[in-house]
Amino acid sequence: RSGRDSSSMLDESRPLSAAIAELAFRQHGVVARRQLLEVGIPGSTIAVWVDQGRLHPLHRGVYAVGHRRIPQEARWLAGVLACGPSSALSFGSAGQCRGILPRDQRLAVHVSVPRSSGCNPDGVAVHRVRSLTDVSLHRGIPTTTATRTVWDLASILPPLQTRRAFEQAEKLR
């Protein structure tokens, strides 16, 4: 496999359906319209696939491939994809993704974006931040680092819960 990211052009020798299946597999079953266009799928074909139920809209320009029964990781990644390539899962969502917070509570999808970003997708709690350089891939999802995540959580959680989150992050290293 080449070192290209998931949004780059895939192997042209394979059928497009195989390229899309591989992309969706690597991304927890979700893809962005921009990624489909990059692999050569015309916009008109994307519209037909939505009508046929092959793609299921989750956010504007973000789809579940094949069906709507997607795992939590797919919901998180769909929120990040909906906010664009300079965004990252953050706050409680990043805490749950990284195992810093328990997953038993269903939280809104929280995504941090640069202040200049105009994204505001329905169903996503968008946080506009001055700087978003402390991001890494976690489970294939651009996510704020554990340090940044705990820092963000400290701004919204009571002191005892913040302490527990910090201790859990330390335990996970």
Side-chain angles (χ1 to χ4, degrees), residues 73-110:
E73 285 80 5
R75 292 184 201 298
W76 289 329
L77 182 55
V80 172
L81 290 171
C83 289
S86 297
S87 62
L89 195 67
S90 61
F91 287 80
S93 299
Q96 287 182 324
C97 182
R98 289 190 173 278
I100 295 169
L101 294 178
R103 283 184 150 194
D104 58 355
Q105 187 178 17
R106 187 160 174 111
L107 303 174
V109 175
H110 288 258

PDB file of all heavy atoms in Angstrom, residues 73-110:
ATOM      1  N   GLU A  73     -17.493   4.976  16.056  1.00  0.00           N
ATOM      2  CA  GLU A  73     -16.330   5.547  15.366  1.00  0.00           C
ATOM      3  C   GLU A  73     -16.742   6.181  14.044  1.00  0.00           C
ATOM      4  O   GLU A  73     -16.207   7.226  13.660  1.00  0.00           O
ATOM      5  CB  GLU A  73     -15.260   4.474  15.126  1.00  0.00           C
ATOM      6  CG  GLU A  73     -14.477   4.084  16.346  1.00  0.00           C
ATOM      7  CD  GLU A  73     -15.197   3.098  17.263  1.00  0.00           C
ATOM      8  OE1 GLU A  73     -16.298   2.618  16.912  1.00  0.00           O
ATOM      9  OE2 GLU A  73     -14.663   2.801  18.336  1.00  0.00           O
ATOM     10  N   ALA A  74     -17.687   5.575  13.344  1.00  0.00           N
ATOM     11  CA  ALA A  74     -18.162   6.131  12.072  1.00  0.00           C
ATOM     12  C   ALA A  74     -18.904   7.445  12.304  1.00  0.00           C
ATOM     13  O   ALA A  74     -18.764   8.387  11.524  1.00  0.00           O
ATOM     14  CB  ALA A  74     -19.063   5.130  11.355  1.00  0.00           C
ATOM     15  N   ARG A  75     -19.682   7.529  13.362  1.00  0.00           N
ATOM     16  CA  ARG A  75     -20.379   8.788  13.678  1.00  0.00           C
ATOM     17  C   ARG A  75     -19.375   9.899  13.970  1.00  0.00           C
ATOM     18  O   ARG A  75     -19.526  11.032  13.531  1.00  0.00           O
ATOM     19  CB  ARG A  75     -21.316   8.593  14.865  1.00  0.00           C
ATOM     20  CG  ARG A  75     -22.485   7.692  14.559  1.00  0.00           C
ATOM     21  CD  ARG A  75     -23.460   7.578  15.719  1.00  0.00           C
ATOM     22  NE  ARG A  75     -24.284   6.390  15.631  1.00  0.00           N
ATOM     23  CZ  ARG A  75     -25.125   6.114  14.661  1.00  0.00           C
ATOM     24  NH1 ARG A  75     -25.248   6.934  13.662  1.00  0.00           N
ATOM     25  NH2 ARG A  75     -25.827   5.005  14.650  1.00  0.00           N
ATOM     26  N   TRP A  76     -18.331   9.545  14.729  1.00  0.00           N
ATOM     27  CA  TRP A  76     -17.301  10.533  15.031  1.00  0.00           C
ATOM     28  C   TRP A  76     -16.587  10.978  13.760  1.00  0.00           C
ATOM     29  O   TRP A  76     -16.425  12.171  13.516  1.00  0.00           O
ATOM     30  CB  TRP A  76     -16.291   9.958  16.020  1.00  0.00           C
ATOM     31  CG  TRP A  76     -16.807   9.774  17.416  1.00  0.00           C
ATOM     32  CD1 TRP A  76     -17.756  10.531  18.063  1.00  0.00           C
ATOM     33  CD2 TRP A  76     -16.391   8.788  18.357  1.00  0.00           C
ATOM     34  NE1 TRP A  76     -17.940  10.062  19.343  1.00  0.00           N
ATOM     35  CE2 TRP A  76     -17.122   9.003  19.552  1.00  0.00           C
ATOM     36  CE3 TRP A  76     -15.470   7.744  18.313  1.00  0.00           C
ATOM     37  CZ2 TRP A  76     -16.953   8.211  20.692  1.00  0.00           C
ATOM     38  CZ3 TRP A  76     -15.305   6.953  19.439  1.00  0.00           C
ATOM     39  CH2 TRP A  76     -16.039   7.195  20.621  1.00  0.00           C
ATOM     40  N   LEU A  77     -16.159  10.015  12.941  1.00  0.00           N
ATOM     41  CA  LEU A  77     -15.437  10.370  11.721  1.00  0.00           C
ATOM     42  C   LEU A  77     -16.335  11.146  10.760  1.00  0.00           C
ATOM     43  O   LEU A  77     -15.879  12.090  10.113  1.00  0.00           O
ATOM     44  CB  LEU A  77     -14.870   9.126  11.035  1.00  0.00           C
ATOM     45  CG  LEU A  77     -14.057   9.396   9.764  1.00  0.00           C
ATOM     46  CD1 LEU A  77     -12.914  10.372  10.020  1.00  0.00           C
ATOM     47  CD2 LEU A  77     -13.544   8.083   9.192  1.00  0.00           C
ATOM     48  N   ALA A  78     -17.611  10.799  10.691  1.00  0.00           N
ATOM     49  CA  ALA A  78     -18.538  11.536   9.823  1.00  0.00           C
ATOM     50  C   ALA A  78     -18.603  13.003  10.235  1.00  0.00           C
ATOM     51  O   ALA A  78     -18.616  13.903   9.381  1.00  0.00           O
ATOM     52  CB  ALA A  78     -19.930  10.906   9.865  1.00  0.00           C
ATOM     53  N   GLY A  79     -18.613  13.275  11.529  1.00  0.00           N
ATOM     54  CA  GLY A  79     -18.611  14.658  12.004  1.00  0.00           C
ATOM     55  C   GLY A  79     -17.345  15.387  11.605  1.00  0.00           C
ATOM     56  O   GLY A  79     -17.390  16.547  11.182  1.00  0.00           O
ATOM     57  N   VAL A  80     -16.213  14.718  11.710  1.00  0.00           N
ATOM     58  CA  VAL A  80     -14.940  15.325  11.317  1.00  0.00           C
ATOM     59  C   VAL A  80     -14.926  15.573   9.805  1.00  0.00           C
ATOM     60  O   VAL A  80     -14.554  16.660   9.349  1.00  0.00           O
ATOM     61  CB  VAL A  80     -13.742  14.443  11.752  1.00  0.00           C
ATOM     62  CG1 VAL A  80     -12.440  14.966  11.175  1.00  0.00           C
ATOM     63  CG2 VAL A  80     -13.664  14.364  13.276  1.00  0.00           C
ATOM     64  N   LEU A  81     -15.352  14.587   9.020  1.00  0.00           N
ATOM     65  CA  LEU A  81     -15.390  14.757   7.559  1.00  0.00           C
ATOM     66  C   LEU A  81     -16.317  15.903   7.163  1.00  0.00           C
ATOM     67  O   LEU A  81     -16.021  16.655   6.235  1.00  0.00           O
ATOM     68  CB  LEU A  81     -15.824  13.460   6.880  1.00  0.00           C
ATOM     69  CG  LEU A  81     -14.820  12.301   6.918  1.00  0.00           C
ATOM     70  CD1 LEU A  81     -15.469  11.018   6.394  1.00  0.00           C
ATOM     71  CD2 LEU A  81     -13.563  12.633   6.135  1.00  0.00           C
ATOM     72  N   ALA A  82     -17.425  16.046   7.874  1.00  0.00           N
ATOM     73  CA  ALA A  82     -18.381  17.111   7.562  1.00  0.00           C
ATOM     74  C   ALA A  82     -17.793  18.494   7.817  1.00  0.00           C
ATOM     75  O   ALA A  82     -18.215  19.476   7.213  1.00  0.00           O
ATOM     76  CB  ALA A  82     -19.664  16.932   8.373  1.00  0.00           C
ATOM     77  N   CYS A  83     -16.810  18.563   8.708  1.00  0.00           N
ATOM     78  CA  CYS A  83     -16.195  19.857   9.047  1.00  0.00           C
ATOM     79  C   CYS A  83     -14.958  20.164   8.215  1.00  0.00           C
ATOM     80  O   CYS A  83     -14.412  21.255   8.323  1.00  0.00           O
ATOM     81  CB  CYS A  83     -15.849  19.885  10.536  1.00  0.00           C
ATOM     82  SG  CYS A  83     -17.316  19.982  11.576  1.00  0.00           S
ATOM     83  N   GLY A  84     -14.504  19.233   7.419  1.00  0.00           N
ATOM     84  CA  GLY A  84     -13.387  19.508   6.526  1.00  0.00           C
ATOM     85  C   GLY A  84     -12.064  18.948   6.998  1.00  0.00           C
ATOM     86  O   GLY A  84     -11.926  18.485   8.129  1.00  0.00           O
ATOM     87  N   PRO A  85     -11.068  19.009   6.116  1.00  0.00           N
ATOM     88  CA  PRO A  85      -9.784  18.360   6.384  1.00  0.00           C
ATOM     89  C   PRO A  85      -8.963  18.985   7.509  1.00  0.00           C
ATOM     90  O   PRO A  85      -8.047  18.358   8.013  1.00  0.00           O
ATOM     91  CB  PRO A  85      -9.042  18.469   5.050  1.00  0.00           C
ATOM     92  CG  PRO A  85      -9.733  19.521   4.281  1.00  0.00           C
ATOM     93  CD  PRO A  85     -11.142  19.596   4.788  1.00  0.00           C
ATOM     94  N   SER A  86      -9.267  20.180   7.948  1.00  0.00           N
ATOM     95  CA  SER A  86      -8.503  20.817   9.030  1.00  0.00           C
ATOM     96  C   SER A  86      -9.188  20.677  10.381  1.00  0.00           C
ATOM     97  O   SER A  86      -8.934  21.448  11.296  1.00  0.00           O
ATOM     98  CB  SER A  86      -8.302  22.305   8.718  1.00  0.00           C
ATOM     99  OG  SER A  86      -7.547  22.451   7.547  1.00  0.00           O
ATOM    100  N   SER A  87     -10.073  19.707  10.519  1.00  0.00           N
ATOM    101  CA  SER A  87     -10.840  19.543  11.753  1.00  0.00           C
ATOM    102  C   SER A  87     -10.384  18.296  12.507  1.00  0.00           C
ATOM    103  O   SER A  87      -9.683  17.452  11.962  1.00  0.00           O
ATOM    104  CB  SER A  87     -12.330  19.463  11.438  1.00  0.00           C
ATOM    105  OG  SER A  87     -12.595  18.331  10.639  1.00  0.00           O
ATOM    106  N   ALA A  88     -10.804  18.210  13.768  1.00  0.00           N
ATOM    107  CA  ALA A  88     -10.441  17.058  14.589  1.00  0.00           C
ATOM    108  C   ALA A  88     -11.514  16.802  15.641  1.00  0.00           C
ATOM    109  O   ALA A  88     -12.099  17.741  16.187  1.00  0.00           O
ATOM    110  CB  ALA A  88      -9.103  17.288  15.277  1.00  0.00           C
ATOM    111  N   LEU A  89     -11.731  15.550  15.931  1.00  0.00           N
ATOM    112  CA  LEU A  89     -12.614  15.153  17.020  1.00  0.00           C
ATOM    113  C   LEU A  89     -12.045  15.734  18.308  1.00  0.00           C
ATOM    114  O   LEU A  89     -10.820  15.728  18.516  1.00  0.00           O
ATOM    115  CB  LEU A  89     -12.656  13.628  17.094  1.00  0.00           C
ATOM    116  CG  LEU A  89     -13.759  12.991  17.911  1.00  0.00           C
ATOM    117  CD1 LEU A  89     -15.124  13.246  17.260  1.00  0.00           C
ATOM    118  CD2 LEU A  89     -13.516  11.493  18.040  1.00  0.00           C
ATOM    119  N   SER A  90     -12.900  16.242  19.189  1.00  0.00           N
ATOM    120  CA  SER A  90     -12.394  16.913  20.388  1.00  0.00           C
ATOM    121  C   SER A  90     -13.368  16.795  21.555  1.00  0.00           C
ATOM    122  O   SER A  90     -14.420  16.166  21.442  1.00  0.00           O
ATOM    123  CB  SER A  90     -12.108  18.389  20.077  1.00  0.00           C
ATOM    124  OG  SER A  90     -13.283  19.056  19.663  1.00  0.00           O
ATOM    125  N   PHE A  91     -12.987  17.403  22.657  1.00  0.00           N
ATOM    126  CA  PHE A  91     -13.785  17.460  23.883  1.00  0.00           C
ATOM    127  C   PHE A  91     -14.266  16.058  24.288  1.00  0.00           C
ATOM    128  O   PHE A  91     -13.471  15.131  24.280  1.00  0.00           O
ATOM    129  CB  PHE A  91     -14.925  18.475  23.742  1.00  0.00           C
ATOM    130  CG  PHE A  91     -14.438  19.903  23.791  1.00  0.00           C
ATOM    131  CD1 PHE A  91     -13.883  20.505  22.668  1.00  0.00           C
ATOM    132  CD2 PHE A  91     -14.508  20.631  24.959  1.00  0.00           C
ATOM    133  CE1 PHE A  91     -13.412  21.819  22.710  1.00  0.00           C
ATOM    134  CE2 PHE A  91     -14.047  21.946  25.018  1.00  0.00           C
ATOM    135  CZ  PHE A  91     -13.496  22.535  23.889  1.00  0.00           C
ATOM    136  N   GLY A  92     -15.528  15.911  24.660  1.00  0.00           N
ATOM    137  CA  GLY A  92     -16.025  14.626  25.158  1.00  0.00           C
ATOM    138  C   GLY A  92     -15.909  13.501  24.149  1.00  0.00           C
ATOM    139  O   GLY A  92     -15.616  12.360  24.503  1.00  0.00           O
ATOM    140  N   SER A  93     -16.112  13.804  22.873  1.00  0.00           N
ATOM    141  CA  SER A  93     -16.008  12.760  21.840  1.00  0.00           C
ATOM    142  C   SER A  93     -14.583  12.222  21.762  1.00  0.00           C
ATOM    143  O   SER A  93     -14.374  11.011  21.677  1.00  0.00           O
ATOM    144  CB  SER A  93     -16.418  13.322  20.475  1.00  0.00           C
ATOM    145  OG  SER A  93     -17.750  13.774  20.505  1.00  0.00           O
ATOM    146  N   ALA A  94     -13.595  13.118  21.792  1.00  0.00           N
ATOM    147  CA  ALA A  94     -12.202  12.687  21.780  1.00  0.00           C
ATOM    148  C   ALA A  94     -11.883  11.911  23.049  1.00  0.00           C
ATOM    149  O   ALA A  94     -11.158  10.913  23.016  1.00  0.00           O
ATOM    150  CB  ALA A  94     -11.269  13.884  21.630  1.00  0.00           C
ATOM    151  N   GLY A  95     -12.431  12.365  24.168  1.00  0.00           N
ATOM    152  CA  GLY A  95     -12.224  11.657  25.428  1.00  0.00           C
ATOM    153  C   GLY A  95     -12.752  10.231  25.370  1.00  0.00           C
ATOM    154  O   GLY A  95     -12.089   9.296  25.817  1.00  0.00           O
ATOM    155  N   GLN A  96     -13.937  10.053  24.798  1.00  0.00           N
ATOM    156  CA  GLN A  96     -14.487   8.704  24.664  1.00  0.00           C
ATOM    157  C   GLN A  96     -13.681   7.879  23.656  1.00  0.00           C
ATOM    158  O   GLN A  96     -13.388   6.710  23.897  1.00  0.00           O
ATOM    159  CB  GLN A  96     -15.954   8.763  24.247  1.00  0.00           C
ATOM    160  CG  GLN A  96     -16.869   9.222  25.356  1.00  0.00           C
ATOM    161  CD  GLN A  96     -18.325   9.225  24.935  1.00  0.00           C
ATOM    162  OE1 GLN A  96     -18.670   9.527  23.795  1.00  0.00           O
ATOM    163  NE2 GLN A  96     -19.192   8.896  25.878  1.00  0.00           N
ATOM    164  N   CYS A  97     -13.332   8.486  22.536  1.00  0.00           N
ATOM    165  CA  CYS A  97     -12.572   7.774  21.508  1.00  0.00           C
ATOM    166  C   CYS A  97     -11.238   7.286  22.057  1.00  0.00           C
ATOM    167  O   CYS A  97     -10.833   6.163  21.796  1.00  0.00           O
ATOM    168  CB  CYS A  97     -12.358   8.702  20.303  1.00  0.00           C
ATOM    169  SG  CYS A  97     -11.478   7.957  18.915  1.00  0.00           S
ATOM    170  N   ARG A  98     -10.585   8.110  22.845  1.00  0.00           N
ATOM    171  CA  ARG A  98      -9.276   7.755  23.394  1.00  0.00           C
ATOM    172  C   ARG A  98      -9.359   6.892  24.657  1.00  0.00           C
ATOM    173  O   ARG A  98      -8.339   6.461  25.182  1.00  0.00           O
ATOM    174  CB  ARG A  98      -8.477   9.019  23.702  1.00  0.00           C
ATOM    175  CG  ARG A  98      -8.010   9.730  22.453  1.00  0.00           C
ATOM    176  CD  ARG A  98      -7.031  10.835  22.775  1.00  0.00           C
ATOM    177  NE  ARG A  98      -6.473  11.387  21.563  1.00  0.00           N
ATOM    178  CZ  ARG A  98      -5.468  10.862  20.878  1.00  0.00           C
ATOM    179  NH1 ARG A  98      -4.895   9.753  21.306  1.00  0.00           N
ATOM    180  NH2 ARG A  98      -5.029  11.429  19.774  1.00  0.00           N
ATOM    181  N   GLY A  99     -10.564   6.657  25.174  1.00  0.00           N
ATOM    182  CA  GLY A  99     -10.711   5.850  26.379  1.00  0.00           C
ATOM    183  C   GLY A  99     -10.495   6.627  27.661  1.00  0.00           C
ATOM    184  O   GLY A  99     -10.379   6.047  28.735  1.00  0.00           O
ATOM    185  N   ILE A 100     -10.439   7.949  27.561  1.00  0.00           N
ATOM    186  CA  ILE A 100     -10.249   8.804  28.736  1.00  0.00           C
ATOM    187  C   ILE A 100     -11.566   8.957  29.490  1.00  0.00           C
ATOM    188  O   ILE A 100     -11.594   9.033  30.707  1.00  0.00           O
ATOM    189  CB  ILE A 100      -9.699  10.182  28.303  1.00  0.00           C
ATOM    190  CG1 ILE A 100      -8.297  10.007  27.702  1.00  0.00           C
ATOM    191  CG2 ILE A 100      -9.673  11.164  29.461  1.00  0.00           C
ATOM    192  CD1 ILE A 100      -7.766  11.246  26.994  1.00  0.00           C
ATOM    193  N   LEU A 101     -12.657   8.996  28.755  1.00  0.00           N
ATOM    194  CA  LEU A 101     -14.003   9.055  29.332  1.00  0.00           C
ATOM    195  C   LEU A 101     -14.728   7.758  29.012  1.00  0.00           C
ATOM    196  O   LEU A 101     -14.497   7.162  27.956  1.00  0.00           O
ATOM    197  CB  LEU A 101     -14.806  10.221  28.743  1.00  0.00           C
ATOM    198  CG  LEU A 101     -14.352  11.634  29.049  1.00  0.00           C
ATOM    199  CD1 LEU A 101     -15.263  12.637  28.332  1.00  0.00           C
ATOM    200  CD2 LEU A 101     -14.369  11.899  30.543  1.00  0.00           C
ATOM    201  N   PRO A 102     -15.637   7.330  29.883  1.00  0.00           N
ATOM    202  CA  PRO A 102     -16.406   6.109  29.578  1.00  0.00           C
ATOM    203  C   PRO A 102     -17.324   6.332  28.378  1.00  0.00           C
ATOM    204  O   PRO A 102     -17.782   7.439  28.125  1.00  0.00           O
ATOM    205  CB  PRO A 102     -17.211   5.853  30.849  1.00  0.00           C
ATOM    206  CG  PRO A 102     -17.129   7.088  31.660  1.00  0.00           C
ATOM    207  CD  PRO A 102     -15.983   7.910  31.168  1.00  0.00           C
ATOM    208  N   ARG A 103     -17.577   5.258  27.653  1.00  0.00           N
ATOM    209  CA  ARG A 103     -18.423   5.334  26.464  1.00  0.00           C
ATOM    210  C   ARG A 103     -19.896   5.116  26.763  1.00  0.00           C
ATOM    211  O   ARG A 103     -20.713   5.142  25.856  1.00  0.00           O
ATOM    212  CB  ARG A 103     -17.987   4.296  25.440  1.00  0.00           C
ATOM    213  CG  ARG A 103     -16.772   4.671  24.682  1.00  0.00           C
ATOM    214  CD  ARG A 103     -16.520   3.619  23.649  1.00  0.00           C
ATOM    215  NE  ARG A 103     -15.872   4.195  22.493  1.00  0.00           N
ATOM    216  CZ  ARG A 103     -15.767   3.588  21.352  1.00  0.00           C
ATOM    217  NH1 ARG A 103     -16.291   2.391  21.184  1.00  0.00           N
ATOM    218  NH2 ARG A 103     -15.147   4.154  20.350  1.00  0.00           N
ATOM    219  N   ASP A 104     -20.238   4.874  28.006  1.00  0.00           N
ATOM    220  CA  ASP A 104     -21.626   4.532  28.317  1.00  0.00           C
ATOM    221  C   ASP A 104     -22.589   5.708  28.199  1.00  0.00           C
ATOM    222  O   ASP A 104     -23.793   5.522  28.166  1.00  0.00           O
ATOM    223  CB  ASP A 104     -21.734   3.890  29.696  1.00  0.00           C
ATOM    224  CG  ASP A 104     -21.202   4.770  30.812  1.00  0.00           C
ATOM    225  OD1 ASP A 104     -20.662   5.855  30.526  1.00  0.00           O
ATOM    226  OD2 ASP A 104     -21.317   4.363  31.981  1.00  0.00           O
ATOM    227  N   GLN A 105     -22.074   6.899  28.112  1.00  0.00           N
ATOM    228  CA  GLN A 105     -22.921   8.079  27.966  1.00  0.00           C
ATOM    229  C   GLN A 105     -22.885   8.528  26.509  1.00  0.00           C
ATOM    230  O   GLN A 105     -21.817   8.703  25.930  1.00  0.00           O
ATOM    231  CB  GLN A 105     -22.417   9.201  28.870  1.00  0.00           C
ATOM    232  CG  GLN A 105     -23.314  10.390  28.914  1.00  0.00           C
ATOM    233  CD  GLN A 105     -22.778  11.451  29.876  1.00  0.00           C
ATOM    234  OE1 GLN A 105     -21.618  11.438  30.262  1.00  0.00           O
ATOM    235  NE2 GLN A 105     -23.637  12.374  30.243  1.00  0.00           N
ATOM    236  N   ARG A 106     -24.054   8.691  25.910  1.00  0.00           N
ATOM    237  CA  ARG A 106     -24.106   9.137  24.514  1.00  0.00           C
ATOM    238  C   ARG A 106     -23.991  10.662  24.476  1.00  0.00           C
ATOM    239  O   ARG A 106     -24.870  11.364  24.958  1.00  0.00           O
ATOM    240  CB  ARG A 106     -25.386   8.675  23.853  1.00  0.00           C
ATOM    241  CG  ARG A 106     -25.391   8.969  22.374  1.00  0.00           C
ATOM    242  CD  ARG A 106     -26.409   8.104  21.684  1.00  0.00           C
ATOM    243  NE  ARG A 106     -26.509   8.498  20.316  1.00  0.00           N
ATOM    244  CZ  ARG A 106     -26.099   7.756  19.308  1.00  0.00           C
ATOM    245  NH1 ARG A 106     -25.582   6.586  19.549  1.00  0.00           N
ATOM    246  NH2 ARG A 106     -26.235   8.173  18.081  1.00  0.00           N
ATOM    247  N   LEU A 107     -22.907  11.132  23.906  1.00  0.00           N
ATOM    248  CA  LEU A 107     -22.633  12.567  23.820  1.00  0.00           C
ATOM    249  C   LEU A 107     -22.803  13.031  22.384  1.00  0.00           C
ATOM    250  O   LEU A 107     -22.691  12.250  21.450  1.00  0.00           O
ATOM    251  CB  LEU A 107     -21.196  12.866  24.261  1.00  0.00           C
ATOM    252  CG  LEU A 107     -20.775  12.411  25.658  1.00  0.00           C
ATOM    253  CD1 LEU A 107     -19.286  12.660  25.863  1.00  0.00           C
ATOM    254  CD2 LEU A 107     -21.593  13.133  26.715  1.00  0.00           C
ATOM    255  N   ALA A 108     -23.014  14.317  22.220  1.00  0.00           N
ATOM    256  CA  ALA A 108     -22.993  14.899  20.879  1.00  0.00           C
ATOM    257  C   ALA A 108     -21.587  14.734  20.307  1.00  0.00           C
ATOM    258  O   ALA A 108     -20.611  14.610  21.047  1.00  0.00           O
ATOM    259  CB  ALA A 108     -23.360  16.380  20.943  1.00  0.00           C
ATOM    260  N   VAL A 109     -21.482  14.713  18.983  1.00  0.00           N
ATOM    261  CA  VAL A 109     -20.176  14.665  18.333  1.00  0.00           C
ATOM    262  C   VAL A 109     -19.572  16.063  18.408  1.00  0.00           C
ATOM    263  O   VAL A 109     -20.171  17.035  17.940  1.00  0.00           O
ATOM    264  CB  VAL A 109     -20.309  14.201  16.863  1.00  0.00           C
ATOM    265  CG1 VAL A 109     -18.971  14.278  16.153  1.00  0.00           C
ATOM    266  CG2 VAL A 109     -20.873  12.782  16.805  1.00  0.00           C
ATOM    267  N   HIS A 110     -18.403  16.164  19.034  1.00  0.00           N
ATOM    268  CA  HIS A 110     -17.703  17.439  19.184  1.00  0.00           C
ATOM    269  C   HIS A 110     -16.498  17.464  18.257  1.00  0.00           C
ATOM    270  O   HIS A 110     -15.681  16.541  18.266  1.00  0.00           O
ATOM    271  CB  HIS A 110     -17.226  17.632  20.629  1.00  0.00           C
ATOM    272  CG  HIS A 110     -18.333  17.921  21.579  1.00  0.00           C
ATOM    273  ND1 HIS A 110     -18.592  19.189  22.047  1.00  0.00           N
ATOM    274  CD2 HIS A 110     -19.269  17.105  22.147  1.00  0.00           C
ATOM    275  CE1 HIS A 110     -19.639  19.141  22.855  1.00  0.00           C
ATOM    276  NE2 HIS A 110     -20.065  17.884  22.934  1.00  0.00           N
TER     277      HIS A 110
END
